[in-house]
Amino acid sequence: MIAHVARKRLVALLAASTALAGVVAGKAAGAAPPDLAAITRPGANIQRTMTLLEESTPQARSTVRVLFYGQSITRQNWWPIVEEHLRKEYPHANLIVENRAIGGFQSPTLIQTAEFDLYPFYPDLLIFHVYGGGGDAMDKWEEIIRRTRTRTAAEILIWTHHDVGRERDYAESERIRQIALKYDCGLVDVLEQWQQMLARRNLEPKALLSSGPHLNQEGCELLAGMIIPFFKYDPQLMTDQSRKLATDVPFTDRTRVRRLPDGSIEVAFQGNRIDAIASPEAGAGPLADVLIDGRKPSTIPKLYVLTRPSNAPFDAVRPALKRIGHEAPLVEEDWLLEVLESTSDGTRFRFRVSGSVTGEDGEGTNTERFVSRSGRVVIEPQRNWMVAWALGYRKREMPDDFRVTWSVVCQGADSLQFPPAEHDGTETAVTLAQGLTSGTHTLKLVPRKPADLPISGFRVYRPPLE
């Protein structure tokens, strides 16, 4: 325990010197010094989310999308405790909570899977933690946060590593603090609280661990107990950034919602996503044709995303492929990759791909770069595949019928049609376009019938970084 306390003091000194250097640099540049206390204050930088939760009522149930993302630590049994707390504390909110964390994927790998896991989900709140992986990997850690800030309007809550006795975790935690400051994230300084608790109870780090850095049940409960208090509603903590992430435009706002002579509706907006919100009398069926900057959303390439590929053989968590690219514009369809022949350990195999729209699209091997005939599927070789790793980890042989599936989805709608509300009071909204280049756009709705559209307004999402 003495060695652990001594190491803790050394880390504190290093952290203090790093923070001091940051303050000096900030003053030299004429900027305000960083304020770590401000972003670790419960509720900091997540007040848009907290307002949606707090103001939800049985008559007006706000939809709040929450995504947990990271690796195995983020998948452990602490996160359901946090979810249960949110559902119990805010029973009238329409909470959509997912955990898409992938065990073993540190930041250099997770930055690839985030392309189909994180940005298309477009959470209101991202709860994120991952290990860097050594070397320059913390640059990838920061890049995930930067991309979240440029491609979504999500608020972000991150936390430092818990103490497992590894020296590199202290340096990574300090980098996490600086990333939180740089990108206006909420921050739970788990490392500091963890070390204080260990010293107070005279414990070594392994007392709260099961294997490696993984938490035992007491450790999971402790981590949940550190995260939950951060969910605090405090209007005084609302920042300009959080306030501008999503803007409601009432349908009656004649300065922003223009009625054209032909009966169509035009809305100018700044951001990368726009939703239409139904009025109470909205019914089923298509109501209007949708144009973004004069184009149908289905013709805008940036709106197409891939779903996560199906899992590696005998693996319940990790996808068979970390990334699938393309060289030609995508269309909405389902894809199938079939293994035709393989070595028993999966290190070398031949496959065929086919799309539900494209049809059979070529054959390739896992050891060479594959570009399908249509250009709609590009697969980089070897390390992009998780097949051989999964077989080796599970000590199994390649199954005879192994296949990989994924889908291409357009995050837009060529026609406005509201889905039925799941619960009374739940706001009914439909995304007309998501994934646009963040900037100035024009939405045009051309009604199918000459009547007022049953729309109460629009919601525009604007990422804080261009």
Side-chain angles (χ1 to χ4, degrees):
M1 185 64 191
I2 294 176
H4 179 65
V5 172
R7 182 172 64 247
K8 173 186 170 184
R9 289 173 179 167
L10 175 60
V11 171
L13 288 171
L14 290 172
S17 64
T18 302
L20 179 59
V23 171
V24 172
K27 289 182 177 179
D35 187 355
L36 196 62
I39 63 170
T40 56
R41 182 177 175 182
N45 291 323
I46 64 166
Q47 283 305 302
R48 176 178 178 268
T49 300
M50 296 311 303
T51 300
L52 291 173
L53 293 171
E54 183 73 22
E55 295 184 354
S56 289
T57 67
Q59 294 74 36
R61 294 162 51 88
S62 296
T63 296
V64 183
R65 298 172 64 83
V66 179
L67 178 66
F68 290 83
Y69 203 48
Q71 56 189 132
S72 57
I73 301 300
T74 308
R75 289 190 65 87
Q76 287 202 261
N77 287 334
W78 65 270
W79 81 270
I81 302 174
V82 176
E83 180 186 7
E84 182 182 8
H85 164 79
L86 292 176
R87 293 193 183 279
K88 182 178 179 180
E89 194 72 15
Y90 305 102
H92 305 308
N94 180 34
L95 275 164
I96 299 173
V97 182
E98 288 196 23
N99 189 324
R100 298 185 176 184
I102 306 175
F105 279 25
Q106 296 182 329
S107 56
T109 305
L110 207 68
I111 197 171
Q112 300 178 64
T113 56
E115 293 296 325
F116 40 72
D117 280 340
L118 197 168
Y119 318 119
F121 184 78
Y122 213 108
D124 294 297
L125 176 65
L126 169 65
I127 302 175
F128 181 79
H129 174 270
V130 70
Y131 285 103
D136 296 328
M138 286 302 293
D139 291 342
K140 302 296 185 185
W141 209 110
E142 178 175 347
E143 181 63 13
I144 294 171
I145 300 300
R146 190 192 69 80
R147 292 183 185 183
T148 303
R149 283 289 189 226
T150 59
R151 294 166 65 175
T152 79
E155 293 181 309
I156 304 173
L157 174 60
I158 61 180
W159 65 95
T160 52
H161 303 330
H162 60 282
D163 193 358
V164 302
R166 296 187 306 199
E167 298 293 338
R168 84 175 194 201
D169 290 347
Y170 306 138
E172 284 195 1
S173 291
E174 179 56 30
R175 180 71 183 277
I176 290 170
R177 296 182 186 105
Q178 299 307 314
I179 291 171
L181 284 165
K182 183 175 180 180
Y183 294 96
D184 297 313
C185 304
L187 176 69
V188 179
D189 203 335
V190 166
L191 179 61
E192 181 179 351
Q193 296 181 58
W194 208 272
Q195 289 179 329
Q196 291 173 356
M197 187 279 305
L198 290 173
R200 186 168 60 250
R201 295 175 57 185
N202 196 31
L203 295 175
E204 288 291 333
K206 63 182 180 181
L208 297 170
L209 306 177
S210 57
S211 62
H214 299 103
L215 303 167
N216 59 24
Q217 186 57 35
E218 184 180 359
C220 285
E221 292 172 0
L222 180 63
L223 181 56
M226 293 180 180
I227 300 293
I228 285 174
F230 203 87
F231 294 98
K232 181 180 180 181
Y233 173 64
D234 186 346
Q236 292 185 347
L237 294 180
M238 179 66 80
T239 63
D240 285 343
Q241 174 172 281
S242 287
R243 190 177 291 109
K244 294 176 181 177
L245 292 173
T247 304
D248 284 358
V249 181
F251 194 62
T252 55
D253 185 347
R254 293 294 174 255
T255 61
R256 300 182 64 181
V257 181
R258 297 177 56 227
R259 293 180 179 270
L260 303 182
D262 62 359
S264 60
I265 303 297
E266 196 171 80
V267 183
F269 67 95
Q270 276 205 325
N272 75 340
R273 170 182 166 184
I274 185 168
D275 293 359
I277 305 168
S279 58
E281 65 272 14
L287 301 168
D289 295 321
V290 179
L291 296 173
I292 300 290
D293 302 328
R295 303 172 61 182
K296 293 181 178 181
S298 62
T299 67
I300 303 175
K302 287 182 68 66
L303 302 192
Y304 286 86
V305 296
L306 277 65
T307 62
R308 182 195 287 190
S310 56
N311 290 343
F314 309 109
D315 196 305
V317 176
R318 299 166 189 85
L321 283 160
K322 302 172 187 174
R323 185 76 184 272
I324 300 173
H326 61 94
E327 292 181 350
L330 300 173
V331 297
E332 280 199 308
E333 62 181 321
D334 299 320
W335 283 92
L336 170 65
L337 182 152
E338 301 171 277
V339 173
L340 304 176
E341 56 182 354
S342 172
T343 57
S344 61
D345 62 1
T347 55
R348 297 179 64 86
F349 55 86
R350 185 169 61 88
F351 60 84
R352 175 175 59 224
V353 299
S354 57
S356 59
V357 175
T358 305
E360 191 172 318
D361 209 23
E363 297 182 5
T365 69
N366 67 313
T367 58
E368 297 178 337
R369 187 174 190 263
F370 171 74
V371 180
S372 70
R373 288 195 293 263
S374 68
R376 290 172 176 164
V377 177
V378 176
I379 302 175
E380 301 298 336
Q382 296 295 24
R383 295 186 66 182
N384 188 34
W385 292 89
M386 291 296 295
V387 174
W389 180 92
L391 293 173
Y393 183 72
R394 300 295 179 185
K395 297 180 173 56
R396 304 287 292 271
E397 293 187 355
M398 174 74 93
D400 293 335
D401 59 348
F402 180 66
R403 55 180 53 191
V404 184
T405 59
W406 68 94
S407 298
V408 176
V409 179
C410 179
Q411 299 181 116
D414 287 350
S415 66
L416 171 61
Q417 182 172 343
F418 291 112
E422 294 185 6
H423 305 281
D424 290 342
T426 301
E427 180 183 82
T428 303
V430 61
T431 298
L432 303 178
Q434 175 183 307
L436 298 164
T437 300
S438 189
T440 301
H441 301 281
T442 300
L443 163 69
K444 185 175 183 179
L445 296 178
V446 183
R448 296 284 181 91
K449 298 178 181 179
D452 284 341
L453 293 174
I455 299 173
S456 65
F458 303 90
R459 184 163 296 128
V460 177
Y461 294 80
R462 184 177 183 179
L465 295 181
E466 296 291 338

